[in-house]
Amino acid sequence: MIRVVYRWKVREEDFANFQEVWSRTTNHIHETMAGALGSFMLRSPEDPTEILTVAKWDSVENWKAFWVADNPSEMKGMREIGERISVTVYDEVDDFTRSHEE
């Protein structure tokens, strides 16, 4: 498993729109791309314009198949609202998070 951390800069007045577009985008990617396992979003309390979106993939190969041109068309709507600062891939070593339903 891998986690891909996307760092964004989003103006406060654009955040609700960005969140809505991200939600549709991440669900579409999860439903249509092999190996895409979903994503979550984090927002800095110190700087509400700093957003992290963290995607989970079953393998770096499947993520690379999605990330073919370093600018996936699926993420176009997000890039129109926010500035993508960086993309970093991490191997998932362990995960002890639990769902709120447990």
Side-chain angles (χ1 to χ4, degrees):
M1 301 284 178
I2 64 165
R3 299 285 180 137
V4 183
V5 178
Y6 302 89
R7 187 168 166 248
W8 300 87
K9 202 65 147 167
V10 178
R11 295 183 317 185
E12 285 187 73
E13 60 269 25
D14 293 333
F15 177 73
N17 189 27
F18 182 83
Q19 185 179 14
E20 180 182 321
V21 171
W22 168 81
S23 180
R24 281 196 317 268
T25 300
T26 198
N27 285 317
H28 174 74
I29 292 168
H30 183 232
E31 293 167 2
T32 60
M33 297 299 301
L37 301 173
S39 183
F40 62 88
M41 179 186 288
L42 303 170
R43 187 177 188 191
S44 170
E46 286 87 26
D47 178 1
T49 68
E50 184 178 340
I51 311 297
L52 298 178
T53 57
V54 183
K56 185 173 186 173
W57 288 80
D58 68 350
S59 69
V60 73
E61 293 78 19
N62 277 331
W63 176 74
K64 283 183 178 180
F66 165 71
W67 197 256
V68 288
D70 197 34
N71 214 6
S73 61
E74 290 88 349
M75 297 177 79
K76 182 178 187 254
M78 294 168 60
R79 291 190 314 272
E80 289 172 352
I81 301 166
E83 177 188 1
R84 190 176 60 214
I85 305 296
S86 64
V87 179
T88 309
V89 177
Y90 296 90
D91 287 324
E92 184 176 305
V93 177
D94 239 331
D95 182 357
F96 292 104
T97 59
R98 298 184 185 195
S99 103
H100 61 280
E101 294 144 4
E102 290 180 15

